[in-house]
Amino acid sequence: MTRETVSHRDGHVYEFGPEMDPVYEAADGESLTVETIDSLNGEIQRDDDLLDAIPEEVNAATGPIAVAGASPGDVLAVEIEAVRVAEDRGRVLTAPGFGLLQDDPEIDHPATRITEVDTDESEAGAVEFEGIDVPIEPVIGTIGVATGGGTVSTLTPDDHGGNLDTTDVTGGTTIYFPVFQEGAMLALGDAKAAMADGEMCGTGAEIAVEVDATFSVVEDPAVPLDRPLLDTGDAVKTLASAETLEGAVELANADMLDLLAHHHGFSRTEAYLFSSLVGGLEISQVVDPQVTARNAVPSEYLSVPF
């Protein structure tokens, strides 16, 4: 089946807000290919291209894509079928005031390393860093919907999604979002060819990608959704962002209690106790204006209630 392509050339945003104009309206259940540009708009191409400061316009997110029938209170399901790198290089870098180790005197700010992409040796391919091959495992860094109120930079994660920088947001994962505005208004970008949990220096191997995804609306969800939720196939993961890591993990754990209570008929206390037996707290990123964490429960103990 032929699918439409939505490109960053059709439109992209640097902010998520309550009022967003779509570049495309998808039917409920429609599959699209979404093309993104790297988070630095192609400006970093060589090792001597340095980022002296974080630009005002960063993390361009292709879209927004309206999904017909999505209304506040619904859930938007985005089934990510594949993420493919779309250029021959990534870029990993530091910038002043950005990253985990800003006060380490032995780390240069700014610094850039271009990670050449090699797809010849295997189907998956690798990026090369200082003579070391790192497997290509593409990740969508920024993905989210229109906010419930207020405008949020694509550099910042929050309840609408945004700059989640979560390694699970890749091919084979379905990510669910609360819908705050008509049409949901999804936008995505800021992809990486490779990235570690934590994204310690503030970037992965930033790169343009093509994303195949299917967009579906869940009306009247059995469990209300306040923040993004992941289904990787192996685990269900609640995803939360806050000013502190403690705040993020508390939110992620609290959201998981609702799912466990619904699935098993637990009381809140029973769900809390059970989460300590089977859950697993994971760090997504610690370098954005808010940090992001997730709580993972294996699929043998929990299924998505949508």
Side-chain angles (χ1 to χ4, degrees), residues 59 138-144 154 157 161-167 169 188-192 195 199 206 209 285 288:
N59 287 10
V139 172
I140 302 168
T142 295
I143 182 170
T154 53
N163 194 23
L164 299 169
D165 283 326
T166 295
T167 55
V169 184
L188 62 93
D190 178 37
K192 299 88 170 46
M195 185 186 75
E199 199 191 23
E206 308 294 310
V209 298
Q285 58 79 25
D288 296 333

Side-chain angles (χ1 to χ4, degrees), residues 122-189:
S122 69
E123 183 179 347
V127 295
E128 184 270 334
F129 182 89
E130 299 292 316
I132 302 170
D133 285 343
V134 177
I136 293 175
E137 297 178 344
V139 172
I140 302 168
T142 295
I143 182 170
V145 296
T147 65
T151 299
V152 181
S153 164
T154 53
L155 188 64
T156 301
D158 212 314
D159 293 350
H160 69 288
N163 194 23
L164 299 169
D165 283 326
T166 295
T167 55
D168 291 306
V169 184
T170 187
T173 291
T174 299
I175 181 167
Y176 298 87
F177 294 96
V179 175
F180 299 110
Q181 305 294 341
E182 295 294 330
M185 302 299 173
L186 183 114
L188 62 93

Side-chain angles (χ1 to χ4, degrees), residues 209-242:
V209 298
E210 298 172 346
V211 179
D212 294 338
T214 299
F215 304 84
S216 303
V217 178
V218 180
E219 298 179 351
D220 300 320
V223 177
L225 189 65
D226 295 323
R227 279 166 286 275
L229 177 70
L230 299 167
D231 184 355
T232 68
D234 296 323
V236 175
K237 303 189 180 189
T238 50
L239 197 58
S241 302

Side-chain angles (χ1 to χ4, degrees), residues 12-15 37-44 51 53-61 142 153-156 190:
H12 54 269
V13 296
Y14 295 101
E15 295 177 331
I37 193 171
D38 77 83
S39 62
L40 300 166
N41 292 337
E43 295 183 5
I44 304 296
L51 194 65
I54 301 300
E56 289 186 10
E57 292 188 337
V58 68
N59 287 10
T142 295
S153 164
T154 53
L155 188 64
T156 301
D190 178 37

